[in-house]
Amino acid sequence: MTDLSREQSAAVQSIVNAFDVSTDKLKTICDKFVQEMEKGLDHEGATVAMIPSYVSGRCTGEEKGTFLALDLGGTNLRVCQVNLLGHGKSTIQQQKYVLRSELKAGPIRDLCEFIAECVDSFLTEYGNDNSSGPIPLGYTFSFPILQTSVNRGVLKQWTKGFACQGAVGKDPAVLLQDAFRRKNLNVAISAIVNDTVGTLMAHAYQHPDTLMGVIMGTGFNGSYYQDMHQVNKWKGSADQEMVINMESGAFDCEREVLPLTVYDNKLDRLSINVGQQLYEKSVAGMYLGEITRNALIDMIDQRLLFNGRSSAEMNNTWSFETAYMSTIEVDNTPNLDDVGHILESILNIPNTTLADRKIVKTLCHAVGRRAARLGVVCIIGCMLHTKRVGTNCIIAIDGSLFEYYPDFDKNMSDALAEVLGEDARSKVSFDLTKDGSGLGAAIIAMQAAKA
């Protein structure tokens, strides 16, 4: 960036350095992550909760039947009717419903009534010929739950911008089943499923040896198959393999190893769950745009970007969307026209220079690259814990960040190779499992209905 002033170059380099995660630092973080996994398997109350999902046994791909699935988390509610055909094949009819912001922060009863209305509308449109009894439904609920059975659990806390009143400490399956009863819906929640667990099961329907399910979208979390003999806190039968919902986004809320910047700290202070989910906040798509905006505002305040001029739009929290970063990163036009369009036409920054646009692109890249490098720590940690380094590992990943963010998978793969070596990298497959949590929830509902 030769057209930058000395002061601009120094400031940009300082920010880029703050977001750089060296190989040695990555190794330190991975070692700590494995330690925290083991604490979570040993006792309740650990930072990384390592929650048994009560989903045991692997798919064969020969399961058959028609089941309903709900997927709540992020920006939409998805209602699906899944037809399992066997041979790893399935068909899905689905409808998405936008979750209004007031539903995410209002009384939990209002959210449950909305979900029941959506299910009612879906069944009216698509029908279901299950006249022999209640329709089994798998409920993908993408928030930390302490499960007590495959269809029961207690909400620990809200994440990803949700803050519904009257839900923490309650069973979300019971709350929703009550709403179904009030609407006289012949639907029974037979499984409550974390989205990572659903993603793992969905991919395992075609690839039974899948190791992990990971969500890299609005939020961030992972799940994997665990030999229950190694889970000290588990009081049930140890002679089984069970999917563990890691709740990995909570890792290092003690701030011992994560390379958090002043821009991360500012985001955390203004979030609805201050001091929580710090790992998720450095990786997930919900947060990357805001971290970048904080860095841009810092440059503006130093009069090193946009000639010190901001805009009402840029000054608004959450106004710089992670989707903008994706567009900015792939803009290779001589004048960075797409970058200019986002800055001038959407964010109303007047008259940006090419130097301004280059700075914005550089900072987006620094934040996005760090997210990928930190995100793969969860996968490396799981491979180390399960002693799968050097074996063929299939990682099922769902989420818009992994699917759409430029070079996200490459940056993850490069970081994995730095920590585990090229041979290990060559045996790891990151498989996009698009909208997998709905299919996975239906498979788990089927298993629970037959149990």
Side-chain angles (χ1 to χ4, degrees):
M1 293 193 292
T2 53
D3 46 353
L4 302 191
S5 71
R6 186 183 304 169
E7 291 82 2
Q8 285 176 314
S9 295
V12 169
Q13 193 58 54
S14 174
I15 294 172
V16 168
N17 290 345
F19 285 106
D20 184 55
V21 187
S22 69
T23 302
D24 286 344
K25 182 66 172 175
L26 266 179
K27 289 177 177 177
T28 300
I29 298 169
C30 289
D31 289 344
K32 177 69 172 176
F33 190 86
V34 173
Q35 293 171 22
E36 293 302 312
M37 283 180 69
E38 289 168 355
K39 286 181 188 174
L41 293 171
D42 181 71
H43 58 266
E44 301 291 354
T47 301
V48 180
M50 305 295 285
I51 301 168
S53 68
Y54 290 81
V55 175
S56 56
R58 295 193 180 237
C59 293
T60 65
E62 295 307 316
E63 295 84 356
K64 295 180 181 179
T66 300
F67 304 89
L68 281 179
L70 273 179
D71 189 352
L72 174 72
T75 52
N76 297 305
L77 170 74
R78 201 157 51 96
V79 185
C80 314
Q81 184 167 276
V82 178
N83 188 14
L84 302 174
L85 304 173
H87 305 294
K89 299 194 180 315
S90 62
T91 59
I92 299 182
Q93 291 176 304
Q94 62 180 330
Q95 190 74 41
K96 286 187 178 179
Y97 304 87
V98 176
L99 287 166
R100 303 186 308 277
S101 56
E102 58 267 27
L103 287 172
K104 297 182 184 182
I108 187 61
R109 183 176 174 125
D110 291 353
L111 178 61
C112 290
E113 293 292 339
F114 171 77
I115 295 172
E117 287 170 14
C118 293
V119 172
D120 191 20
S121 170
F122 181 87
L123 290 174
T124 300
E125 182 170 352
Y126 293 101
N128 189 294
D129 58 3
N130 193 339
S131 55
S132 59
I135 305 164
L137 178 141
Y139 182 18
T140 301
F141 187 79
S142 310
F143 306 93
I145 286 181
L146 287 174
Q147 291 205 225
T148 53
S149 70
V150 74
N151 67 340
R152 289 287 178 266
V154 174
L155 177 64
K156 283 183 63 185
Q157 66 190 54
W158 287 112
T159 57
K160 292 184 286 195
F162 279 71
C164 294
Q165 303 127 40
V168 174
K170 304 280 181 61
D171 186 332
V174 170
L175 294 171
L176 183 57
Q177 191 70 63
D178 288 346
F180 287 165
R181 285 200 192 93
R182 289 192 293 271
K183 286 201 78 70
N184 295 311
L185 288 176
N186 188 31
V187 174
I189 299 171
S190 56
I192 187 161
V193 182
N194 183 268
D195 52 356
T196 64
V197 179
T199 296
L200 172 53
M201 296 299 285
H203 203 64
Y205 189 58
Q206 287 185 298
H207 305 280
D209 53 348
T210 303
L211 173 66
M212 285 189 77
V214 178
I215 296 292
M216 288 181 163
T218 305
F220 168 61
N221 189 17
S223 66
Y224 72 102
Y225 280 104
Q226 170 70 51
D227 176 356
M228 297 305 284
H229 283 105
Q230 300 172 358
V231 184
N232 186 56
K233 70 181 179 183
W234 176 247
K235 305 307 178 194
S237 169
D239 293 326
Q240 59 180 321
E241 196 179 37
M242 184 179 288
V243 180
I244 298 291
N245 164 23
M246 300 167 78
E247 287 303 335
S248 50
F251 169 62
D252 200 35
C253 66
E254 303 85 1
R255 297 172 176 259
E256 291 179 3
V257 292
L258 284 176
L260 301 176
T261 68
V262 292
Y263 313 114
D264 296 290
N265 294 337
K266 184 177 180 184
L267 176 143
D268 180 51
R269 278 197 300 274
L270 296 176
S271 68
I272 63 172
N273 55 344
V274 180
Q276 298 173 359
Q277 302 296 113
L278 297 181
Y279 182 31
E280 180 175 53
K281 285 171 181 172
S282 65
V283 174
M286 178 174 176
Y287 305 102
L288 302 187
E290 181 63 7
I291 294 169
T292 305
R293 190 190 72 87
N294 287 339
L296 296 177
I297 291 291
D298 184 16
M299 292 279 294
I300 292 168
D301 288 348
Q302 296 179 63
R303 300 188 64 80
L304 297 174
L305 184 62
F306 311 143
N307 201 26
R309 296 191 301 269
S310 188
S311 67
E313 289 80 5
M314 179 64 90
N315 291 342
N316 279 339
T317 52
W318 310 105
S319 62
F320 194 87
E321 298 177 12
T322 303
Y324 299 163
M325 297 171 65
S326 295
T327 302
I328 287 167
E329 283 236 44
V330 296
D331 185 1
N332 292 316
T333 58
N335 292 315
L336 298 180
D337 296 324
D338 291 338
V339 181
H341 171 75
I342 289 170
L343 295 174
E344 296 179 9
S345 300
I346 299 177
L347 295 169
N348 285 325
I349 302 291
N351 303 321
T352 61
T353 65
L354 182 56
D356 289 330
R357 299 173 190 185
K358 286 181 177 179
I359 290 171
V360 172
K361 183 173 179 177
T362 299
L363 297 190
C364 286
H365 178 73
V367 174
R369 180 173 179 269
R370 185 192 69 163
R373 289 173 69 79
L374 289 178
V376 83
V377 166
C378 171
I379 295 169
I380 295 170
C382 183
M383 290 173 62
L384 289 167
H385 167 73
T386 55
K387 298 180 169 50
R388 290 291 301 273
V389 177
T391 69
N392 292 325
C393 296
I394 299 174
I395 314 298
I397 307 179
D398 192 7
S400 53
L401 191 67
F402 178 77
E403 183 176 3
Y404 296 117
Y405 200 94
D407 290 332
F408 206 83
D409 56 344
K410 179 184 180 299
N411 287 326
M412 287 171 59
S413 181
D414 288 347
L416 185 144
E418 289 172 33
V419 176
L420 300 179
E422 285 293 344
D423 181 61
R425 187 223 297 252
S426 70
K427 294 175 179 172
V428 174
S429 174
F430 297 145
D431 290 5
L432 176 65
T433 309
K434 198 170 165 71
D435 291 336
S437 51
L439 170 59
I443 292 168
I444 295 165
M446 180 219 63
Q447 292 178 335
K450 288 186 175 180

